[in-house]
């Protein structure tokens, strides 16, 4: 009897401990506009920051943002340095083996090549991509030589200074850059559909938090606020729910 | 920042630059210089303390203590810095949390390692997840200082170990002949005289330490290299009031000037220190000083 009571108390204690976690720490990269970036004031800003704050409000969670470089973003999640990842991370099978994802909050979209001229050799030349992304994986499997960089900005810089023939990245990341380049940069070739949309990454053991955020995302999809946010950050062309 | 900066697109020349260089983001960049200087100010004495401890242990007559000191020096000197840094942040952090977990949450009924996940109870988290952001940042900074101190301490230990052996043996024998205990000999004769032999090696270490501070970024501390890369990258007008091209070269040039100036100042300071330590020493330089004065 005593041991049953004790184990019940332990169960209750651990359940309440999980619920009473008063601050959820949200990891992001802070270098991938418009998804997430650091604004002029030196603060995190972007689609995912606005979305994450809204999700936390709906789930009545107290959230705090943490920036972490892309390379170590998954290792730091699984060692519990923060609790979620919202960093433009596409849902893939390989990642799903290590961490869990919520449903997608950003629909599956296309990745595209950008180069300095129309006749750039993006099929068999040197193509830049950010390390450990689905785009890097795609280039590695293609005929082209892959040139990896630690952050997204450097992949575009590589094309500008001639180290790479083209850069391969998310269309929505490249579009503002191409628009602002005044004709210097252009899209080449056909867009490639990649990945299963972008979702929030969580530890596999954190089922409760996953359910909470899944519900919050569903509610935002249902009342149309997620679509408004997508259009605000990515323009009218963006796929909606 | 400034009142006139509300519409940067309308500004040009110096006015634009003045506004640009005083954005919140730039303030964080300037603050990062303070972070680097603070790291050096704390790490240098800490590494010296580790080094002194390591050298004393390595010299110990008691075999296990000597093995400990020599093992520390050999292992840390033999492992690449970067591997050590990457290993340490995660391993050290997990070790602390594991110990706290064992002490604070005896009733926890789930495994700590669940597949890939490392999960400890909330009370054992370091820092607590409810702690304000600055605590998290200070903790990361503290881990960085400890890691730097351990790595550079091993090199300093080797330098001091050598310096202690370089003190002329006749000095030690004379001290013993005067009836000093080993402890007194160590404190009064050996340590005061060893610095002059240690300084060239230690000053080298100091220079390497200055140049190693960009490793801070690997440890998750937003240092000057991180901000230079972030600020220098091409900025598109959609996300900033101050769009510009790839300015990384200019930011890194500024870092280059900073590091060069800093190492130059260090060289001058170390040269003065060397002159002072040489005074009255039985070395060639000490002899030269004596002759010049005479």
């Amino acid at each position: 009897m005593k041991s049953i009571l004790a184990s019940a108390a332990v169960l209750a204690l651990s359940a309440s401990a999980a619920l009473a976690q008063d601050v959820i720490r949200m990891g992001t990269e802070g270098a991938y506009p418009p998804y997430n970036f650091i604004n002029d004031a030196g603060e995190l800003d972007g689609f995912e920051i606005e979305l994450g704050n809204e999700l936390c409000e709906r789930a009545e969670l107290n959230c705090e943002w943490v920036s972490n470089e892309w390379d170590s973003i998954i290792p730091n999640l699984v060692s519990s340095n923060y609790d979620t990842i919202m960093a433009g991370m596409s849902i893939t099978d390989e990642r799903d083996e290590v961490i869990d994802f919520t449903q997608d909050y950003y629909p599956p979209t296309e990745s595209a090549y950008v180069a300095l001229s129309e006749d750039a050799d993006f099929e068999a030349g040197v193509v830049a991509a950010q390390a450990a992304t689905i785009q890097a994986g795609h280039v590695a499997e293609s005929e082209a030589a892959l040139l990896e960089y630690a952050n997204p900005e450097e992949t575009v810089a590589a094309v500008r200074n001639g180290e790479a023939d083209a850069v391969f990245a998310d269309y929505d990341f490249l579009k503002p850059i191409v628009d602002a380049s005044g004709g210097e940069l252009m899209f080449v070739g056909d867009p490639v559909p990649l990945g299963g949309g972008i979702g929030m990454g969580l530890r596999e053991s954190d089922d409760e938090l996953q359910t909470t955020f899944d519900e919050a995302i569903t509610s935002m999809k249902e009342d149309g606020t997620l679509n408004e946010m997508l259009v605000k950050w990515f323009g009218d062309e963006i796929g909606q729910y | 920042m400034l009142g006139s900066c509300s519409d940067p697109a309308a500004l040009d020349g110096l006015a634009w630059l003045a506004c640009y260089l005083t954005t919140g983001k730039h303030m964080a960049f300037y603050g990062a210089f303070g972070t680097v200087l603070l790291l050096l100010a704390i790490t240098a004495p800490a590494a010296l303390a580790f080094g002194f401890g390591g050298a004393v242990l390595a010299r110990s007559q008691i075999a296990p203590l000597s093995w400990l000191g020599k093992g520390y020096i050999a292992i840390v000197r033999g492992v690449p810095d970067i591997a050590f840094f990457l290993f340490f942040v995660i391993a050290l952090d997990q070790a602390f949390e594991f110990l706290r977990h064992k002490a604070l949450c005896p009733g926890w009924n789930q495994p700590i390692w669940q597949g890939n996940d490392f999960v400890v109870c909330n009370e054992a988290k370091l820092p607590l997840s409810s702690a304000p952001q600055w605590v998290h940042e200070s903790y990361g900074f503290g881990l960085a200082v400890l890691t730097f101190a351990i790595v550079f301490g091993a090199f300093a230990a080797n330098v001091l170990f050598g310096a202690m052996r370089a003190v002329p043996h006749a000095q030690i024998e004379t001290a013993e002949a005067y009836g000093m205990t080993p402890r007194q000999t160590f404190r009064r004769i050996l340590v005061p005289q060893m610095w002059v032999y240690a300084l060239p090696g230690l000053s080298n270490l100091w220079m390497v330490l200055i140049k190693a501070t960009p490793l801070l970024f690997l440890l998750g501390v937003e240092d000057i290299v991180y901000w230079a890369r972030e600020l220098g990258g091409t900025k598109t007008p959609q996300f900033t009031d101050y769009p510009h091209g790839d300015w990384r070269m200019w930011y890194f040039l500024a870092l280059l000037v900073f590091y060069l100036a800093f190492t130059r100042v260090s060289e001058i300071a170390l040269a003065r220190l060397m002159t002072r330590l040489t005074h009255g020493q039985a070395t060639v330089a000490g002899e030269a000083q004596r002759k010049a004065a005479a």
Side-chain angles (χ1 to χ4, degrees):
Chain A
M1 187 64 203
K2 209 175 169 190
S3 68
I4 297 174
L5 272 179
S7 58
V10 165
L11 270 178
L13 198 76
S14 59
S16 69
L19 279 176
Q21 187 176 38
D22 25 14
V23 176
I24 301 293
R25 292 168 54 77
M26 317 260 282
T28 190
E29 186 189 14
Y32 203 53
Y35 302 85
N36 56 75
F37 60 97
I38 295 170
N39 64 17
D40 287 335
E43 290 153 358
L44 284 166
D45 202 348
F47 165 68
E48 283 169 325
I49 311 301
E50 195 182 322
L51 173 66
N53 288 338
E54 176 66 27
L55 290 175
C56 287
E57 201 166 294
R58 287 180 187 227
E60 292 174 355
L61 295 169
N62 189 0
C63 295
E64 183 114 42
W65 289 94
V66 190
S67 60
N68 193 94
E69 60 176 326
W70 177 256
D71 257 354
S72 58
I73 206 161
I74 290 181
N76 275 324
L77 173 75
V78 297
S79 64
S80 296
N81 288 345
Y82 37 78
D83 307 300
T84 69
I85 296 174
M86 289 183 85
M89 187 180 277
S90 298
I91 304 169
T92 64
D93 293 339
E94 290 87 351
R95 287 179 184 140
D96 215 3
E97 283 171 18
V98 185
I99 58 173
D100 271 352
F101 284 99
T102 60
Q103 59 175 306
D104 56 329
Y105 56 74
Y106 173 94
T109 45
E110 288 161 333
S111 298
Y113 291 94
V114 160
L116 287 173
S117 72
E118 287 290 353
D119 51 354
D121 186 9
F122 64 90
E123 275 165 337
V126 179
V127 175
Q130 187 180 10
T133 58
I134 47 173
Q135 287 85 14
H138 179 81
V139 175
E141 283 168 16
S142 71
E143 298 277 300
L146 171 64
L147 198 53
E148 284 186 309
Y149 289 91
N151 76 8
E153 156 67 24
E154 286 168 335
T155 60
V156 182
V159 174
R160 282 207 166 97
N161 61 31
E163 281 172 56
D165 295 320
V167 48
F168 187 54
D170 278 317
Y171 176 81
D172 286 307
F173 163 71
L174 292 170
K175 182 152 188 309
I177 297 172
V178 171
D179 288 348
S181 72
E184 185 198 4
L185 294 169
M186 61 198 71
F187 285 104
V188 290
D190 294 324
V192 186
L194 276 185
I198 291 172
M200 182 193 284
L202 301 118
R203 277 185 297 278
E204 296 204 310
S205 54
D206 233 353
D207 295 333
E208 204 170 338
L209 197 59
Q210 190 185 357
T211 319
T212 312
F213 276 117
D214 257 332
E215 281 166 7
I217 295 172
T218 307
S219 87
M220 284 189 72
K221 281 182 178 171
E222 279 169 358
D223 67 11
T225 40
L226 182 55
N227 285 341
E228 280 169 30
M229 229 176 250
L230 282 165
V231 172
K232 175 187 166 190
W233 287 99
F234 299 101
D236 297 326
E237 286 175 41
I238 186 75
Q240 297 183 21
Y241 292 101
Chain B
M1 285 294 143
L2 305 172
S4 55
C5 293
S6 50
D7 184 18
L11 299 170
D12 52 9
L14 278 179
W16 185 90
L17 199 64
C19 286
Y20 174 68
L21 291 176
T22 52
T23 56
K25 210 172 181 178
H26 274 87
M27 290 301 163
F29 177 49
Y30 307 140
F33 283 94
T35 309
V36 169
L37 294 179
L38 185 69
L39 176 96
L40 286 168
I42 301 175
T43 306
L48 202 56
F50 269 86
F52 197 81
V56 170
L57 281 180
R59 274 173 56 88
S60 173
Q61 302 291 332
I62 307 159
L65 287 183
S66 164
W67 294 337
L68 188 70
K70 284 180 177 158
Y72 164 59
I73 296 174
I75 291 171
V76 178
R77 287 205 329 151
V79 176
D81 284 3
I82 285 203
F84 213 81
F85 276 69
L86 289 176
F87 165 79
F88 240 68
V89 219
I90 293 185
L92 207 61
D93 183 48
Q94 289 197 356
F96 287 154
E97 290 190 345
F98 180 78
L99 291 177
R100 277 169 60 91
H101 179 84
K102 286 288 171 209
L104 296 173
C105 304
W108 187 258
N109 57 352
Q110 294 167 31
I112 293 181
W113 280 276
Q114 304 177 16
N116 293 304
D117 301 359
F118 175 80
V119 185
V120 294
C121 62
N122 286 325
E123 293 79 21
K125 286 240 176 87
L126 253 187
L128 294 172
S129 56
S130 58
Q133 185 59 21
W134 70 267
V135 176
H136 285 273
E137 279 168 21
S138 311
Y139 177 71
F141 184 78
L143 274 185
V145 167
L146 186 59
T147 316
F148 268 106
I150 290 174
V151 170
F152 282 84
F155 288 92
N158 203 38
V159 169
L160 292 179
F161 183 72
M164 285 176 186
R165 298 173 84 166
V167 174
H169 203 65
Q171 299 264 353
I172 312 288
E173 281 172 356
T174 311
E176 279 168 2
Y178 270 98
M180 290 189 199
T181 62
R183 190 173 288 228
Q184 283 173 327
T185 313
F186 179 75
R187 210 174 57 235
R188 295 182 185 169
I189 309 297
L190 186 70
V191 173
Q193 291 192 74
M194 75 169 186
W195 293 111
V196 73
Y197 302 104
L199 196 65
L202 290 181
S203 63
N204 245 347
L205 266 185
W206 168 251
M207 294 301 197
V208 177
L209 177 63
I210 294 175
K211 297 193 300 168
T213 50
L215 286 173
L216 267 178
F217 180 51
L218 279 181
L219 301 178
V221 178
E222 288 169 354
D223 77 320
I224 46 181
V225 178
Y226 167 82
W227 283 112
R229 203 165 70 163
E230 169 63 34
L231 286 161
T234 310
K235 295 283 174 292
T236 48
Q238 200 179 335
F239 310 114
T240 172
D241 292 333
Y242 305 91
H244 60 74
D246 189 352
W247 285 2
R248 284 181 300 174
M249 201 178 84
W250 301 111
Y251 281 94
F252 284 116
L253 186 67
L255 291 194
L256 187 135
V257 170
F258 168 73
Y259 277 112
L260 262 182
F262 195 42
T263 47
R264 182 75 197 122
V265 169
S266 300
E267 272 179 355
I268 294 169
L270 287 165
R272 287 199 181 156
L273 187 62
M274 190 65 193
T275 313
R276 271 188 69 172
L277 287 178
T278 305
H279 189 73
Q281 293 288 343
T283 58
V284 176
E287 185 64 12
Q289 259 185 13
R290 191 184 63 80
K291 281 190 181 145

